[in-house]
Amino acid sequence: MSVETLQTSPRVPYTGNATPDELSYWEAIARNVADQLRVDAIERDRANQQPRREVQLLKDSGLLNLLAPTEFGGGGGHWETAFQAIRIISSVDGSIGQLLAYHYINQSGIAFYALPPSQPAWWQATVNGNWLWGDSVNPVDPTLTLTADGDGYRPNGLKHFSTGSGVGDVIVFNALVVDGINEGKIIAFVLETTREGVELLDDWDNLGQRLTGSGSVKNTNVRVNPVDVLGEVTEEPISTLLTPGIQLAFSNFYLGSAEGALERGRQILLERKNSWFLSGVDTYAEDKIFQRAIGELKARTAAVAALAEKINRKFDDVAARQGALTSEERWAYANEIAELKVVSTEIGLEVSHRIYEVTGASSTKSSVGLDLFWRNVRTHTLHDPVDYKKIEVGAYYLNGDVPPLSLYT
């Protein structure tokens, strides 16, 4: 298919915007899942096991197929609704919020990478199988290569930080073709986690985000058949919208974590008895010092939430541009997401550590579990340096400059 044809092809199934009824429907489902996760969030985190029960909860809720088109049995929802679900789940369990976020992005590779004729089979398969999509695409870990093998390929190599691989049904890979007629191209392909030659190393052992199934994946002479190929990773603007999409998913995860930490801190503060002896009031919740601190954090979080809601809704508008989306439009929107990434990172970190200032020394007990929010946000916000996002925003604002196209930009 020619580039000219691609520019006018209906590359994505996302049209229109979420209605209030759609948002309310999926919000209720996400909150129900969050309520169940909240019950033992800290115990599950401490146990540091693969989140198989949590994934089943997502599957049973229908959240995994929120974005899948209705004609294949999916929810037919919008990105605004998906980002809302990520934010809600992350407010109680950042690990599962991340799993859901990556799933949405990985699954949507059907729309952003696959050409229209091959998309129906992929959508039907993911809905019928109720698949959780993991990934193994870490762009700064380029040891995975793809060699030609008849009408297919043979991948070999290792990739770290493969989120969802430990519990996913399928994994999407990106790899450089090193020989044959497609030499030099980057191909996205999808393999079931049980495929011969795919080894899940289960070596994720980090400070936070413990339940994300983010271990390394090793491929040894795996057979990739033509039907396993999702598509070529190109520089077509609508295809590269996937990268700002994951950055926007991150921002909603950080925002949700901030909101969760703030709400947990509020609960702890209201439960505290007595007051500081110099305060002149009966309870800590009546103390103006603590009210000021809570008020500041609440106001800043609300400001980031307002920005997120605006940008979340716009993703549907931009995606609906289909193959007509221009590079200039894509970069302008990516810059808006970069602005949100900066402030959501800062609010996630600020709230999750400053909340201790109002909850006191007793809230540092391991049994309280308030540390979960900070550990999760601190771990994931190192995914890609936020300072580079600040530079992107500044360079674009001053000179209209954009960074090199990559899986981070």
Side-chain angles (χ1 to χ4, degrees), residues 10-323:
R11 292 299 304 275
V12 299
Y14 316 118
T15 58
N17 293 101
T19 64
D21 285 346
E22 176 189 321
L23 288 165
S24 296
Y25 174 80
W26 288 105
E27 178 184 3
I29 290 174
R31 292 200 182 281
N32 179 264
V33 172
D35 287 343
Q36 295 179 67
L37 292 171
R38 182 183 291 108
V39 173
D40 59 351
I42 190 61
E43 291 82 6
R44 289 184 292 101
D45 179 80
R46 299 276 195 260
N48 198 19
Q49 301 295 313
Q50 292 284 13
R52 303 193 185 283
R53 181 171 65 86
E54 294 88 335
V55 169
Q56 191 60 50
L57 184 59
L58 293 177
K59 290 189 174 195
D60 293 343
S61 72
L63 282 172
L64 293 189
N65 289 314
L66 185 160
L67 286 172
T70 54
E71 57 263 40
F72 304 110
H78 293 81
W79 280 96
E80 179 183 10
T81 311
F83 291 131
Q84 173 185 256
I86 293 166
R87 176 177 163 187
I88 291 170
I89 300 299
S90 298
S91 71
V92 299
D93 192 328
S95 288
I96 309 309
Q98 180 185 336
L99 267 181
L100 184 62
Y102 280 58
H103 163 78
Y104 286 142
I105 295 297
N106 295 330
Q107 183 194 59
S108 70
I110 297 172
F112 292 111
Y113 289 151
L115 296 180
S118 65
Q119 289 185 16
W122 283 108
W123 285 120
Q124 198 66 71
T126 190
V127 171
N128 288 351
N130 205 10
W131 288 348
L132 176 77
W133 288 61
D135 71 62
S136 191
V137 299
N138 182 7
V140 295
D141 196 8
T143 63
L144 183 64
T145 58
L146 211 54
T147 57
D149 180 40
D151 60 351
Y153 300 96
R154 294 279 181 180
N156 283 279
L158 178 73
K159 277 193 180 289
H160 303 289
F161 306 116
S162 299
T163 294
S165 61
V167 287
D169 297 287
V170 294
I171 303 173
V172 59
F173 298 84
N174 284 2
L176 178 70
V177 182
V178 297
D179 63 2
I181 61 173
N182 290 319
E183 181 178 358
K185 294 181 179 180
I186 297 176
I187 301 295
F189 57 96
V190 181
L191 302 175
E192 65 275 16
T193 54
T194 56
R195 181 71 63 95
E196 184 179 358
V198 175
E199 184 179 0
L200 310 178
L201 300 186
D202 194 15
D203 55 359
W204 178 250
D205 184 26
N206 288 50
L207 176 71
Q209 295 304 97
R210 293 172 174 173
L211 307 186
T212 58
S214 295
S216 303
V217 176
K218 183 178 180 181
N219 287 268
T220 305
N221 210 31
V222 182
R223 170 63 183 177
V224 175
N225 298 306
V227 295
D228 301 321
V229 175
L230 198 56
E232 182 185 350
V233 181
T234 71
E235 294 187 359
E236 184 191 1
I238 189 62
S239 180
T240 66
L241 189 62
L242 198 64
T243 300
I246 191 68
Q247 294 287 326
L248 185 49
F250 294 168
S251 297
N252 282 276
F253 156 43
Y254 303 155
L255 171 60
S257 297
E259 291 174 326
L262 189 62
E263 177 58 27
R264 181 69 181 113
R266 174 181 176 272
Q267 294 170 354
I268 294 171
L269 179 61
L270 290 173
E271 291 167 359
R272 293 186 71 185
K273 306 300 182 184
N274 304 318
S275 62
W276 187 245
F277 71 98
L278 296 176
S279 67
V281 295
D282 294 331
T283 67
Y284 281 99
E286 296 173 296
D287 191 321
K288 298 302 180 186
I289 295 292
F290 295 98
Q291 289 176 352
R292 180 190 182 282
I294 283 286
E296 180 182 10
L297 296 177
K298 179 65 173 69
R300 291 182 179 178
T301 303
V304 176
L307 181 60
E309 289 161 8
K310 171 188 172 184
I311 296 177
N312 289 349
R313 188 168 184 82
K314 190 171 182 178
F315 193 92
D316 288 301
D317 297 326
V318 176
R321 295 277 293 141
Q322 306 271 350

